[in-house]
Amino acid sequence: MLFTTGQMRAAFGLSKQQWRSYRGALAPLTRDQGRAACFSATDLLATSVIHRLSTGLSIPLNIFTAVADPLFRLLAACPWPQLERSILSIDLEQSRVEMIERDREMPLATVTLVIELAPIITELRRQLLAGILDPQRDLAFPPMIAGGRR
């Protein structure tokens, strides 16, 4: 499943300027330059993690610049059912992102952000299945009878 820029913005309720800030801070979001940029479900999940941390804890987006590539790569390497059972550990000082199973002990670090992925994935699935991410869905023209012979 691929998402357009508009769908990504709608998923997080971002203005065009806010989306530019996300793309400026998170290099993986700029790999497809131009009008036809498409984003994967993994891009949506990784951006959702960063969005929740930045808005929930009032952390500036540029703090996540160093961990953006490892975060996107790590989430892309695992299937969603495995991610759903995992906890994400983000060490901003060491620019390290690690996935931890729920029953495993947390690694020691001076400052680490710990995020359980299950609630984020559940919310994204609900949005995807409900079709909320397609703001143009309601703009479809109704079927009309084209001109014919009389």
Side-chain angles (χ1 to χ4, degrees):
M1 180 174 247
L2 294 176
F3 303 97
T4 64
T5 299
Q7 291 169 320
M8 290 287 282
R9 284 184 38 225
F12 306 111
L14 300 175
S15 68
K16 286 183 180 183
Q17 182 58 41
Q18 289 171 317
W19 179 248
R20 280 188 212 106
S21 297
Y22 272 73
R23 289 188 71 157
L26 308 174
L29 294 178
T30 60
R31 66 178 165 254
D32 291 334
Q33 293 289 336
R35 293 178 159 276
C38 291
F39 303 95
S40 69
T42 300
D43 296 334
L44 179 66
L45 177 59
T47 305
S48 184
V49 166
I50 291 173
H51 177 74
R52 290 214 179 179
L53 288 171
S54 67
T55 57
L57 299 176
S58 299
I59 300 173
L61 282 174
N62 62 353
I63 298 295
F64 297 103
T65 300
V67 295
D69 282 326
L71 174 64
F72 279 70
R73 274 195 310 269
L74 178 66
L75 294 180
C78 300
W80 279 39
Q82 180 184 352
L83 293 173
E84 211 167 11
R85 295 185 305 271
S86 300
I87 296 171
L88 197 60
S89 169
I90 301 175
D91 183 350
L92 295 172
E93 290 181 334
Q94 301 294 321
S95 299
R96 189 175 64 221
V97 179
E98 194 175 357
M99 189 130 31
I100 301 165
E101 295 295 325
R102 284 191 178 145
D103 57 345
R104 199 177 110 201
E105 190 174 309
M106 296 291 295
L108 294 176
T110 53
V111 177
T112 303
L113 298 172
V114 178
I115 304 106
E116 186 172 1
L117 293 174
I120 296 172
I121 291 173
T122 301
E123 176 64 22
L124 289 175
R125 276 194 182 127
R126 187 187 62 75
Q127 286 181 350
L128 293 172
L129 293 175
I132 292 172
L133 292 178
D134 188 3
Q136 295 182 352
R137 178 178 51 102
D138 296 332
L139 299 177
F141 294 103
M144 298 177 67
I145 298 175
R149 293 186 201 217
R150 291 185 184 206

